[in-house]
Amino acid sequence: MKVLGLITEYNPFHNGHAYHLDASKKETGATHTVAVMSGHFLQRGEPAIFDKWTRAKMAVMAGVDLVLELPTAYSSQSAELFAYGSVLTLDSIRIVDSICFGSESGDISRLSAVANILENEPSKFKVHLKEKLDSGLTFPRAREAALGLFLDCGTTAYGLCANDALGILRSPNNILSIEYLKSLSRLRSSIKPATIRRIAADYNSTQISGSICSATAIRECLKQGSSLEAISSVVPSASYSLMHSVAAAGLTPVTENSLLELLSYAVISKSDTLSSYCDIREGMDNKIKSEIRRAPSYDELLSSLKSKRYTMTAIKRMLMNILLGVKKADVEVFRRLSSVPYIRILAFNDKGTELLKKIKHSSKVTIINKVPRLDSISDETARKMLQYDIDSTDIFNIIYYAGCKHALRGSMDYIISPAYLSKKDRDF
Amino acid sequence: MKVLGLITEYNPFHNGHAYHLDASKKETGATHTVAVMSGHFLQRGEPAIFDKWTRAKMAVMAGVDLVLELPTAYSSQSAELFAYGSVLTLDSIRIVDSICFGSESGDISRLSAVANILENEPSKFKVHLKEKLDSGLTFPRAREAALGLFLDCGTTAYGLCANDALGILRSPNNILSIEYLKSLSRLRSSIKPATIRRIAADYNSTQISGSICSATAIRECLKQGSSLEAISSVVPSASYSLMHSVAAAGLTPVTENSLLELLSYAVISKSDTLSSYCDIREGMDNKIKSEIRRAPSYDELLSSLKSKRYTMTAIKRMLMNILLGVKKADVEVFRRLSSVPYIRILAFNDKGTELLKKIKHSSKVTIINKVPRLDSISDETARKMLQYDIDSTDIFNIIYYAGCKHALRGSMDYIISPAYLSKKDRDF
C-alpha cells in the first residue's frame, strides 16, 4: 500500500481536480488516496457552495478513496493555519507516504528553498520584513518584498537567487504549497512532498470553455442560477449528477451575499466581544461594527472595509470568524497541537475501508464515524473543535435549507452518516 | 394643563385607538396627552410591523401630543414588567395627572380590588396559587383559579365576591390593567387611574368590517400583502398615508416568520448561554436548542415548544429575549428602578413642546432628543438600557430594510430625529 495525501476544498469537484488527482497518483506511484477537505467554510473566507457530504461524495466518485473533514477552526483561516491543520490531519493518521499539491511553480526544490527561509526567518530577512510591514504593506506584499531584498544581498546558502524567487510569493497555490512544506518541516513529518504544476484556467477566471475551468467560474455560473447544462463539460459526470440531486432537493447554493443578514446580526449581537474572534485586529472591530449597519451587499461591505493593511481575503476570513464565533484563544490552542484530537470521515469506498483499518493500526487518533454528543467528550480541545464543526454546519444550513425547510431534521452533523460508495456507485 | 397618560403599542394606529384616545380625554378632562409606546418589539413577544418613528407619527397626527419610547428591556416582557416599565415612565416625568387604559371590564373599582389582592398576596391566596402552579397550570390559569378559590372562602375585605372576579383574569386588557394598577400602587404614584371599556372587535379577530377592527386583523391584511385599500376604512387618514409612505420607500413589514433565520442563528451562536436570557426557565433552553434546528416556520416552532407550563405568548417572549439578547441580570436591575434613567422622544406637536417644558421643570429625568454615543454615558443602567434600544432597532432593520438596503445609513437610532409635527401636518 502506497498512500497519497491530498489537501482539498472541492468546491465543487471538477475536471481540473480530476486531472490533479490522476497526475498526483502517477507522480507518487500511489495505490490509495486520502484527502483532507474543508467542511462548510473555506480558506478564502467563503462558504462552500454545496454541503460537505455531497462534495466528499463527488471526490470519492472521482477516485479519492477516503475523505476526511478539515476541522472548521482551521478551514477558514490564513494560509499558514489552514496548511498546518491540513498537514497535521494527514500526519496524525500515520499512514500517508506522500502529499502532492498543485502549484503555479511546479518546482518542489524552489518551493522548499523559499519555505526554508520563511520557516527559519534569518535575521536579515526579519529586518526587511519588519521594515516593509511598518511601511504599511499587507503581509503578503511585505513578505514578498523582504524575500527579494534578502536574496538580492547575494546569499547562496539557500540555493536560490533573487530572480528564482521572484513572483513565487505572488501566486496563491505557491503560497499554500510553501505553507504545507513549512508545516511538514515543523512536524518533522516523514511524509514526502511533491507538486504538480497547475494547468489551464486561472483561479479567478470566470470563463467556461474546453474541459477544464476554475471552480470560481463554475460557482459564478451556479450563483447566477444558470442551468446546470452550462457546466456539464467541465465537471465529471458524477459531480454533475450530484449537483442535479442537490437542485432537485430544493437546496440553495450558499454564497457570501446570502450570509449578509446573519452576519449583520452576528456583529450587532456580539459587538462587545468582536476583538475576541480570530484575526480581528485593532481598529477592525469598530470599522466592521459601523460598516455592517449600512452595507447594501457583501461586496460593498468588503469594499468599505478594504485598506492597504489587509487583503480582501483576510477581511473575508475576519467576517467568517465572527459569523462562526471562532475565538482567538481557541485557535491559539489548535495552532500548537502536534496531532489532531480526532478525524472525521465524510466519504469513503472499499479502498477507504482498507485505509481506515490501517489508520486504526498505525495511529492512536480517534476516528469519528457517528458524531458523539458533545457532553460525552472529556477532552476539552476535541470538544471545542467539534463544536465549531457542528455549529458551522447548523449556520450553513440556515441558508442551504432555506428553500426546503422541512428537510432539515436537526443538527445534520448528528444525523448524516459518512457516505460509503461501492465501486458500483463510482461507475454510475 | 391637565395631562393624560396612555400606555400604547399602536401597531399600527387605527380607528379603535382613535376612539380610545378621544374617550380617555373626555373621561379625564385632559388638555394634553402623553403616550408611552413600545419600540420595535412588543408585549406579546412580537416584532412591530412598522418602525417606531412612523407609528409615533401616526399617534401624533391622531391627537397624541407627545410620544415617548418604552425601553426595549420592558417592552417585550411579561404583563407585570411591561406595565411596570410603562407606568414608571409616566410617573418619572412628574406631570401626568391620570392614566386611562382600555379594559374588557370597564370597572375601575373591581379592577382595583383584584389588583389589591394580587399586589398584597394574602397568605391564603398564596397557598392556592402555589398549589395550582404545582399542579402544572400556566401562570395565568393558576392565578385565576387561585383568585376564585380565595374569594370563594367568603372574604368580603376586598369588596369583591367570587362571581365579580370570575373571568376578570381571562381577558388580556383586564390583566394589563391590573398590572398598571399594581405598578401605580407600588410606586405610590399620584397618578389617577381610569378605564374605558373596550368596544367592538376582539383582539384576535381577523375580520375587517365597519370602521373599527383589531390591530391583529390589520396586520394579517398587511402580512398577506393585500393592497392598503383593504384597510382604508379602519384607520385614520394620517395612518393610511404614512403606511403608503412606508410601502413607497420599499420597507418590508416585519413579522415573526421573517425573523426565523436570525433567531435560528441567535440560538446556535448563543447556545452555551441561553439560560442567561430573561424568562428562559429550566429545560426550555434545551428544548429551544433542539427544536429551532428543525423548525420549518415560526408557527411550527411555537407549536413544538408549547406545553402546559407556558402560554404561547410566554414562549414568544422567551424567543424575543434570545434574539435581542436581553439578560436576566439586567432586567432584575430594571425591575427595581424607582424612576427611569431617561426618556426618549419619538414624536411630538406644539402641545408636546409645552409638555416637554413642564417635564424639564417638574422632574430630573434625562430627556433624550438626539441619542448620545453610548461610551459618553456614565450611568451604567442608562447605558445598558439604551444599548438594548439601539440594538433592537438594528436587528429589526435587518428585515425592515431588506428590500431597500441602500436606505439604511447606519444605526438609525443615532440618525433619525424625533418627529415634530405642527398643526398643519396633522390636518394633511
Side-chain angles (χ1 to χ4, degrees), chain A residues 110 113-114 117 128 143-170:
Chain A
R110 283 210 175 100
V114 173
I117 297 170
H128 291 311
R143 193 169 62 165
E144 188 190 0
L147 183 69
L149 289 171
F150 175 69
L151 291 169
D152 255 349
C153 298
T155 175
T156 54
Y158 294 87
L160 268 184
C161 68
N163 261 357
D164 283 333
L166 211 73
I168 274 196
L169 286 174
R170 283 251 154 155

Side-chain angles (χ1 to χ4, degrees), chain A residues 257 260-262 264-266 268-272 290 292-297 300 322-325 387 390-392 394-395 398-399 402 405-406 408-411, chain B residues 257 260-262 264-266 268-272 290 292-297 300 322-325 387 390-392 394-395 398-399 402 405-406 408-411:
Chain A
N257 208 42
L260 183 60
E261 277 77 19
L262 298 187
S264 300
Y265 178 81
I268 294 164
S269 65
K270 298 172 176 181
S271 70
D272 287 348
S290 72
I292 197 109
R293 287 177 168 84
R294 56 180 172 229
S297 68
E300 285 164 277
I322 293 172
L323 183 76
L324 304 178
Q387 172 98 62
I390 295 167
D391 287 355
S392 73
D394 287 338
I395 293 168
I398 294 174
I399 307 300
K405 288 188 182 173
H406 278 96
L408 193 58
R409 289 167 292 140
S411 265
Chain B
N257 207 42
L260 183 60
E261 276 76 21
L262 298 187
S264 300
Y265 177 81
I268 294 164
S269 65
K270 297 173 176 180
S271 68
D272 288 348
S290 70
I292 196 110
R293 287 177 169 84
R294 54 179 175 231
S297 69
E300 285 162 278
I322 293 173
L323 183 75
L324 304 179
Q387 172 98 60
I390 295 168
D391 287 355
S392 73
D394 286 339
I395 292 168
I398 294 174
I399 307 298
K405 289 188 181 175
H406 279 95
L408 193 58
R409 288 167 292 139
S411 266

Side-chain angles (χ1 to χ4, degrees), chain B residues 2 4 20 33 42 60 65 70 85 107 120 150 152 158 166 184 193 199 217-218 225 246 290 345 361 367 412 416 426:
Chain B
K2 205 163 176 190
L4 166 66
H20 175 78
T33 313
L42 311 181
V60 173
D65 301 313
L70 176 64
D107 180 338
N120 296 313
F150 174 71
D152 254 350
Y158 294 88
L166 210 72
L184 285 171
I199 51 156
I218 295 172
V246 165
S290 70
I345 308 166
H361 184 261
I367 300 175
M412 292 311 233
I416 297 181
R426 185 179 166 180

Side-chain angles (χ1 to χ4, degrees), chain A residues 265, chain B residues 270 277-278 320-327 330 388 395:
Chain A
Y265 178 81
Chain B
K270 297 173 176 180
Y277 297 106
C278 190
M320 287 306 107
N321 279 323
I322 293 173
L323 183 75
L324 304 179
V326 180
K327 295 226 171 82
D330 291 338
Y388 284 123
I395 292 168

Side-chain angles (χ1 to χ4, degrees), chain B residues 9-217:
Chain B
E9 299 210 300
Y10 295 151
N11 184 39
F13 194 97
H14 56 61
N15 288 345
H17 295 127
Y19 166 84
H20 175 78
L21 175 61
D22 291 338
S24 300
K25 284 181 183 175
K26 273 186 206 130
E27 173 76 19
T28 60
T31 59
H32 292 67
T33 313
V34 52
V36 58
M37 188 190 86
S38 300
H40 292 126
F41 291 87
L42 311 181
Q43 205 267 320
R44 293 173 70 84
E46 293 166 356
I49 196 149
F50 300 123
D51 68 279
K52 60 192 179 189
W53 295 281
T54 298
R55 285 159 41 235
K57 273 189 221 169
M58 290 176 179
V60 173
M61 285 179 167
V64 176
D65 301 313
L66 171 64
V67 182
L68 303 178
E69 179 173 355
L70 176 64
T72 301
Y74 294 114
S75 74
S76 201
Q77 304 298 356
S78 67
E80 185 176 10
L81 198 55
F82 170 85
Y84 189 67
S86 303
V87 170
L88 187 67
T89 304
L90 292 174
D91 188 67
S92 299
I93 57 177
R94 302 275 166 222
I95 61 162
V96 175
D97 299 294
S98 58
I99 293 181
C100 191
F101 33 81
S103 63
E104 291 82 359
S105 146
D107 180 338
I108 198 73
S109 69
R110 285 212 173 98
L111 292 170
S112 298
V114 174
N116 194 351
I117 298 171
L118 299 184
E119 174 73 359
N120 296 313
E121 292 202 318
S123 56
K124 279 186 185 162
F125 170 77
K126 252 183 163 164
V127 170
H128 292 309
L129 181 60
K130 191 176 176 312
E131 274 169 19
K132 292 294 168 190
L133 281 174
D134 290 346
S135 79
L137 288 184
T138 60
F139 180 75
R141 290 287 81 80
R143 193 169 62 166
E144 188 189 2
L147 184 68
L149 289 170
F150 174 71
L151 291 170
D152 254 350
C153 297
T155 174
T156 53
Y158 294 88
L160 267 185
C161 67
N163 261 357
D164 283 336
L166 210 72
I168 275 196
L169 287 174
R170 284 248 153 157
S171 306
N173 290 281
N174 285 346
I175 292 174
L176 276 171
S177 300
I178 288 164
E179 293 299 338
Y180 301 144
L181 292 164
K182 282 170 62 188
S183 299
L184 285 171
S185 155
R186 209 185 121 194
L187 288 166
R188 300 172 197 280
S189 175
S190 62
I191 299 174
K192 287 214 173 58
T195 188
I196 302 283
R197 188 194 293 271
R198 280 174 65 90
I199 51 156
D202 278 345
Y203 183 89
N204 288 312
S205 156
T206 53
Q207 291 298 312
I208 291 194
S209 63
S211 68
I212 291 192
C213 79
S214 72
T216 308

Side-chain angles (χ1 to χ4, degrees), chain A residues 8 11 58 113 122 133 147 163 175 197 217 351 354 369 376:
Chain A
T8 66
N11 183 41
M58 290 177 180
L133 282 173
L147 183 69
N163 261 357
I175 292 174
R197 188 194 293 270
K351 276 193 181 178
E354 294 169 28
N369 201 323
S376 72

